[in-house]
Structure formats: C-alpha cells, structure tokens
Amino acid sequence: MDSFMKLIVHNYLDHESMLSHSAATLELGRDLAHAASSNFGWRKPSVSFNTRLFALRHDRLYQFNASPPQVGTSVPRTHILKDWGIPPSDEEAFALEVLEEFIHPKLEPPCVCPARKRPLLQDSPDTPQVVHPSTYELSLEPPTKRPRYDTASISNLIPQPHYVPGPSVGFPPLDNEYLKPYRKAQPSPIAPFDLTSAKLFLSTFYNRAAWLIPIRGVLPWDDATCAIILAPPQVPRGDDTPLLPSGPATLHNGISGITWTHHSIVHFWDFLISIQQAKNLGHISISFHSAPSDTTSILNSALSLTAGSGNRPAQAGRSADLFDGLSDRVRHAQLEDTDFIKVYHDTKYSFYLRNVLDAYKYIPGETPSEGRRAADREIDGEIRLLKLARLVIVDDRSRAVLLS
C-alpha cells in the first residue's frame, strides 16, 4: 500500500470513552488499512483500547450458585423401643383427670321418615281412634329400587350382520285395505325442507328414505324421541321383578322417551326382518348403528331429559341453516354418538311403514318366532314401544326431512 495514500479515519466512541489523540487514531487507522490491503501475509495490528471499561465493579457482580441459608434445627428426637415389661415413664403416663374434655357433636336418634297415614273420616262417629305411641313409625314397605341404565357398548347385542339388504324382486301390489298410512300426528318438516318440499320429496317415485329409531341417546333434532336402555340384573334372583321396557313417555318439556331392554331390542330387530321378508312394503333394508364403547355422555344426555333438568344437548333447531358446514359437522358427531336403527325404504311406502312401526307390540317373555305367530292376537301384557313416538325420516344424503 502506498504510504502516502490519503486516508480518512472514522473513530466511533461511546459516551464513556475518553477522546483519544488524533495522531494516534490516525496511525491506528493507517495500520488497519495497511494490514487489510497488504500482500505480505498476516499482520497483527497494534490495537489499543480503554482497559477501564473492563474494570470490575461491585455493583455489577452477581453470584448465581449461592448456597442456601442454613436454618437452625434442634436435634432430632430418636425413639428407642423399650424392652417388654418396662413400666412407662412419667412423660408417657397420663391421668384421665389431667386430660382435656373430649368435644363431640350432639348425638341425635336416626332420622326416620314418618309413615303416610290415611286421614280419618270426620263424619263417621263409629270410626275407632288409634293411638300411636310415637309420632314416627317405621314403614314396612321395601324401598323402591332405582333402575340401572346400561352404558356398555351394545355392538354384540344384535347378531351380525348389522346391515341386512332386502329382496329386490317379487313385491306384491300395496294392499290398501289391510295397510293404512300413519295419520296419528301431523308431520313437522325440518329445515331446509318445508311442508311443500317434503311432500314433493316423498311423492317422487324413485326416491329412497329411512326412518331412524332411537335405541339409546338423543337424536340431533328438536322434539325427536330419545331412548335409554335398562341394564340387566347382575345376579338373577327368582324373586326379582323382570325388567320391562316402556313406550314413549312424555317428559317435562314435551319430548318423549323410550325405555328399552336387551330382549326388547333383539325382538324389535327380528320384527323388522319379518317385515322385510314379507315384501308387503317394497324393498326394505335395515341397519343397526352402534355408538362407541364410551356411552356415558350419551346416557347423561338422555337422562337429563328424563330427569326433568331441562338441559337438552346442543342441537340445531328447525330454523338453523343445514347448509352451514359447522352445523352439519356438529349434527353428524351427535348422530355418531347415538345407538339407532335405520329402516331404508321407497318413499311411496314411508307413512305405511310408519304406521306398522307404530303398531309394533312387544310381549314380555316370548321369543321372536312366537311373536310372529301371535302378531294378530290380542295378548295381555303387550307393550307398544313406538306408539305415538316422534321419529325422524332422512333422505338418501342423511338430511332430515320431517318428524312424524
């Protein structure tokens, strides 16, 4: 590098640095430039800096691995077991007179519910007066057993296969004298269907639809009938009252609920197969959808309606837009968590099939084959499980059409 080359040296100083001599700064800059542009190899420039910037200051010193403070503790007491037979010392012996009085809650006799008594007739002078020694008396009636509800998976309750396609040929014409359409309740359309579009869908000749029969849980549409399942007895006993299902019972908010038993579910499945094989209502296929193994939340949803708590699970009402993606996903998730049976059919038979479902009879203790032979006979103790139930019919895309 030319030693006479003109250089401009910029020296940037912070506020704490002392102003250096201009000649020394210029010489330092010249050495740095010469070291950077020289071809004679590496050079070590002589660089000077203010060493006071690196001086230790006590207000900037920190110790991150300080030892914890020592807490003074007394000598731990050691317990030495005495030999057998040595009497206790004065510190170990206590007299009852020295001990403090024990404080305990006030003891009261157990609460006994008063037995219900019939009021005496005031206008009967001959009625004997009965004097009871106590205001309360024990009731000899056995306590009412609370029903236990089944929360286990019922995927193995109905025999496989869980989808049974029906015959496709050989259907006789509809017998209008023997089969009547269902007219016990006014159908209610479900949005986006209105009454006109629902009638148009059901009257189209080649359309297919399906009735949904709840087995356990709450269907994701307002006013639809819900269902629960009674758990079978753990230890069968001869004196136990047999479990019986019950038809739709009106709950506090107008929603009806069905109570099934294991035997009634299998009986109803066999009843649907008999309708399918009879071929009187066209091509019918049936399927059984079983919810996942954990059905506690399903049961809680159904029991909340049965118990009258008013906490109906989140549902989309009739005014909800079914084309909203979120509503569809929520409804589909609710439907997947419900046990139900789906009955596929041609739409021209929809309300004829609905009337047959309404007329279904469950007779306790009979086998499904006996039920088919006794279908036309009136038998004491029969239970109409779907009588006046509010069932949902869906189209071939699983969109709800109406409630009937």
Side-chain angles (χ1 to χ4, degrees):
M1 184 184 71
D2 189 1
S3 59
F4 300 101
M5 185 173 57
K6 295 182 179 180
L7 297 175
I8 298 177
V9 179
H10 299 274
N11 187 16
Y12 298 95
L13 302 174
D14 55 10
H15 63 282
E16 295 183 0
S17 301
M18 300 296 294
L19 293 175
S20 60
H21 195 271
S22 59
T25 303
L26 183 60
E27 185 66 23
L28 178 60
R30 182 181 290 108
D31 293 341
L32 292 175
H34 179 72
S37 60
S38 177
N39 297 327
F40 297 106
W42 291 98
R43 283 178 177 270
K44 183 178 180 181
S46 177
V47 181
S48 62
F49 53 88
N50 188 5
T51 57
R52 290 185 300 173
L53 296 177
F54 296 90
L56 295 179
R57 296 173 58 180
H58 295 287
D59 57 344
R60 294 182 180 180
L61 293 179
Y62 301 95
Q63 185 179 3
F64 296 98
N65 56 346
S67 301
Q70 298 295 329
V71 180
T73 57
S74 59
V75 179
R77 180 182 299 178
T78 58
H79 299 275
I80 302 176
L81 297 178
K82 296 182 178 181
D83 295 334
W84 186 263
I86 297 179
S89 61
D90 295 339
E91 297 179 355
E92 299 173 342
F94 299 93
L96 294 179
E97 295 78 7
V98 183
L99 298 177
E100 297 181 359
E101 184 179 359
F102 177 72
I103 301 176
H104 59 78
K106 184 179 180 181
L107 300 179
E108 297 180 354
C111 180
V112 181
C113 298
R116 296 180 179 179
K117 303 176 183 179
R118 295 182 179 180
L120 299 178
L121 299 177
Q122 301 296 332
D123 55 352
S124 177
D126 299 334
T127 302
Q129 300 294 329
V130 181
V131 179
H132 296 280
S134 175
T135 307
Y136 298 95
E137 61 182 10
L138 295 176
S139 177
L140 300 180
E141 297 180 358
T144 304
K145 295 182 179 179
R146 296 183 60 184
R148 294 188 307 108
Y149 300 103
D150 194 357
T151 59
S153 174
I154 57 174
S155 58
N156 297 326
L157 178 60
I158 293 178
Q160 295 282 356
H162 287 171
Y163 174 74
V164 182
S168 56
V169 293
F171 302 109
L174 182 63
D175 188 356
N176 292 322
E177 295 183 2
Y178 180 72
L179 297 173
K180 302 296 182 182
Y182 182 76
R183 292 182 179 142
K184 294 183 179 180
Q186 183 69 22
S188 303
I190 301 177
F193 287 91
D194 55 13
L195 195 57
T196 302
S197 59
K199 288 182 178 180
L200 178 61
F201 169 77
L202 294 176
S203 61
T204 304
F205 189 78
Y206 292 105
N207 279 348
R208 296 276 291 175
W211 288 105
L212 302 184
I213 295 91
I215 301 298
R216 178 173 52 191
V218 182
L219 295 177
W221 293 283
D222 290 340
D223 301 333
T225 298
C226 62
I228 55 177
I229 304 176
L230 294 177
Q234 297 178 349
V235 181
R237 294 170 50 188
D239 56 347
D240 285 347
T241 303
L243 295 176
L244 295 178
S246 61
T250 303
L251 307 180
H252 70 287
N253 49 4
I255 301 173
S256 57
I258 304 173
T259 302
W260 296 90
T261 60
H262 284 196
H263 184 266
S264 62
I265 295 173
V266 178
H267 187 277
F268 178 66
W269 178 262
D270 193 84
F271 168 76
L272 294 176
I273 293 180
S274 66
I275 296 176
Q276 179 190 69
Q277 300 302 321
K279 302 181 181 180
N280 293 324
L281 294 174
H283 176 61
I284 293 178
S285 300
I286 57 176
S287 67
F288 169 64
H289 176 270
S290 176
S293 56
D294 184 11
T295 58
T296 305
S297 60
I298 311 171
L299 182 62
N300 292 338
S301 300
L303 290 181
S304 64
L305 300 178
T306 306
S309 62
N311 297 327
R312 185 173 176 88
Q315 299 179 14
R318 291 196 186 100
S319 60
D321 185 6
L322 293 187
F323 293 100
D324 181 24
L326 180 59
S327 300
D328 287 339
R329 287 192 295 269
V330 171
R331 186 177 295 106
H332 179 73
Q334 280 189 250
L335 193 59
E336 287 295 318
D337 288 338
T338 307
D339 298 300
F340 61 91
I341 293 177
K342 207 170 185 179
V343 186
Y344 304 86
H345 60 279
D346 297 330
T347 54
K348 64 179 181 179
Y349 298 105
S350 292
F351 285 98
Y352 294 94
L353 177 60
R354 178 67 185 88
N355 199 30
V356 172
L357 294 175
D358 183 81
Y360 164 68
K361 304 174 184 178
Y362 170 75
I363 301 176
E366 76 167 5
T367 62
S369 59
E370 292 173 350
R372 288 196 297 270
R373 291 196 301 266
D376 297 330
R377 293 186 289 119
E378 292 291 337
I379 300 179
D380 295 336
E382 63 184 20
I383 301 174
R384 300 275 298 278
L385 289 176
L386 299 178
K387 183 180 180 181
L388 299 179
R390 299 290 285 173
L391 302 182
V392 177
I393 187 172
V394 296
D395 61 5
D396 52 355
R397 297 170 55 187
S398 295
R399 297 181 306 172
V401 179
L402 54 82
L403 196 69
S404 177

